[in-house]
Amino acid sequence: MKLVTYRINHTPSRLGFIEEQMIIDAEKLGHIKNSPLPDNMLDFIDLGMNAINHAVTLINTATKEELEECSIPIANATLMAPIPKPRKNIFGIGLNYTEHVAESARTLDTSKELPQEPVIFSKPTTAVTGPETDIIHNQKITKQLDYEVELAVIIGKGGKNISKENAMDHVYGYTVINDISARDCRRAGQWIVSKGQDTFAPMGPVLVTRDEIADPHNLNLRLTVNGVEKQNSNTKFMLFNIEDLIRDLSTVFTLETGDIIATGTPAGVGAGRNPQEFMWPGDVVEATVEGIGTLRNTIVDAEEVK
């Protein structure tokens, strides 16, 4: 199932299900079918995987008139980040593709050796923004605004010390994230200022539940800036796969429903190019993950959004 958080004009955000270019409003569907459903993504995730099957049943048993009553065309809605306000920071994974390790060592003074365990950082919840929104470029802070297309994993069942064998049971679904980075804002090797600025975590356009993705370790990743391809790879080249990441993260942190893991980016980032290529106001960046969709954002100058 494809899930979205959406709104109409400036109304509060709502949870919806995508069916044939239509958004079925979850709460309205539940009301019509006399079987209550939440109006937001986190509450729906909290209900577990069985709620997905229940929602599918409600859709399949609804009449045409009932569906029309609770649906709108996607074109008439504004899609937001699937989880507009996560409960805690996004877990980011650095240097998780071999060629990206090499390019980072050449240009960002990171180690040329492959990591022996996942490199973990975080992005604040205030960094989250949705598709078709602006990424703010504060030129007083950075002159090196960079992109990173990534597969994001959404946790559906929390836990501590999760085994690798059981890790995928804790996955709820997937979305696209663009791990925006200000390369000149690292401080003494720490990345949160570089990666945690407002709007530096665009996500979307949809959340795809895990049953829709046969193999998350064989998905094509692609990113373009102004229509020019910059990154093109596949999740099969991850150094640490999703099971590895969940096992490792859960030994350090208690994972909770709705937690988000950005699984790392392949080679081709602007900092790794010769000459380096960074993003500037007016640029349009599009990040695509196979089976999920394309996340499109525009870079704007911070002075324009005051």
Side-chain angles (χ1 to χ4, degrees), residues 263-279:
T263 58
T265 199
V269 300
R273 294 178 171 272
N274 187 15
Q276 292 181 327
E277 300 176 6
F278 297 111
M279 297 187 295

Side-chain angles (χ1 to χ4, degrees), residues 147-150 176-178 219-225 227-234 265-267 285-290 293-295:
Y147 50 80
E148 295 187 6
V149 59
E150 305 192 11
V176 183
I177 188 167
N178 190 347
L219 299 175
N220 292 322
L221 306 166
R222 185 173 183 265
L223 183 139
T224 66
V225 177
V228 179
E229 185 175 278
K230 302 297 182 181
Q231 292 181 282
N232 192 330
S233 188
N234 189 285
T265 199
V285 58
E286 295 180 283
T288 302
V289 177
E290 180 184 0
T294 296
L295 172 66

Side-chain angles (χ1 to χ4, degrees), residues 22-296:
M22 300 291 288
I23 297 175
I24 302 172
D25 186 275
E27 186 183 40
K28 291 179 181 178
L29 173 67
H31 178 74
I32 290 169
K33 300 296 289 181
N34 196 29
S35 183
L37 289 173
D39 64 355
N40 69 89
M41 187 73 74
L42 284 173
D43 284 353
F44 190 67
I45 293 173
D46 286 343
L47 295 176
M49 302 303 293
N50 287 338
I52 298 170
N53 297 328
H54 177 60
V56 170
T57 298
L58 293 183
I59 293 170
N60 291 339
T61 58
T63 65
K64 180 180 177 182
E65 291 74 20
E66 287 174 332
L67 290 177
E68 288 177 349
E69 185 177 344
C70 60
S71 300
I72 62 165
I74 293 177
N76 293 351
T78 297
L79 298 187
M80 304 172 69
I83 303 176
K85 189 68 173 180
R87 289 176 174 140
K88 61 178 187 250
N89 281 13
I90 296 165
F91 297 112
I93 307 298
L95 307 173
N96 202 27
Y97 287 75
T98 303
E99 292 182 357
H100 182 52
V101 173
E103 71 177 0
S104 295
R106 290 193 305 269
T107 59
L108 294 173
D109 63 34
T110 55
S111 173
K112 65 180 180 180
E113 303 299 326
L114 297 181
Q116 298 304 299
E117 55 189 1
V119 177
I120 303 169
F121 62 93
S122 77
K123 297 173 80 82
T125 62
T126 47
V128 172
T129 190
E132 302 295 341
T133 59
D134 296 333
I135 295 169
I136 299 172
H137 184 190
N138 188 339
Q139 296 184 53
K140 295 178 180 178
I141 297 176
T142 179
K143 306 293 185 184
Q144 298 183 355
L145 191 69
D146 212 343
Y147 50 80
E148 295 187 6
V149 59
E150 305 192 11
L151 172 69
V153 174
I154 314 300
I155 295 297
K157 182 172 68 173
K160 180 75 172 175
N161 295 317
I162 300 167
S163 70
K164 183 172 180 177
E165 293 72 23
N166 294 328
M168 294 306 292
D169 293 338
H170 292 258
V171 173
Y172 187 83
Y174 309 93
T175 191
V176 183
I177 188 167
N178 190 347
D179 177 15
I180 302 297
S181 307
R183 301 298 186 188
D184 48 358
C185 289
R186 291 174 297 147
R187 298 182 180 179
Q190 299 299 309
W191 296 0
I192 194 167
V193 175
S194 168
K195 292 175 171 288
Q197 297 177 36
D198 290 355
T199 72
F200 276 24
M203 285 192 293
V206 302
L207 188 161
V208 179
T209 55
R210 74 181 189 214
D211 56 297
E212 296 276 334
I213 303 290
D215 183 3
H217 299 113
N218 188 21
L219 299 175
N220 292 322
L221 306 166
R222 185 173 183 265
L223 183 139
T224 66
V225 177
N226 300 327
V228 179
E229 185 175 278
K230 302 297 182 181
Q231 292 181 282
N232 192 330
S233 188
N234 189 285
T235 55
K236 66 184 177 183
F237 297 116
M238 286 183 191
L239 290 173
F240 301 101
N241 65 22
I242 294 167
E243 293 98 320
D244 294 323
L245 297 177
I246 290 174
R247 181 200 61 77
D248 186 72
L249 283 164
S250 70
T251 64
V252 182
F253 313 100
T254 297
L255 293 181
E256 299 175 300
T257 57
D259 280 352
I260 301 166
I261 304 171
T263 58
T265 199
V269 300
R273 294 178 171 272
N274 187 15
Q276 292 181 327
E277 300 176 6
F278 297 111
M279 297 187 295
W280 296 95
D283 286 343
V284 175
V285 58
E286 295 180 283
T288 302
V289 177
E290 180 184 0
I292 301 174
T294 296
L295 172 66
R296 183 180 185 273

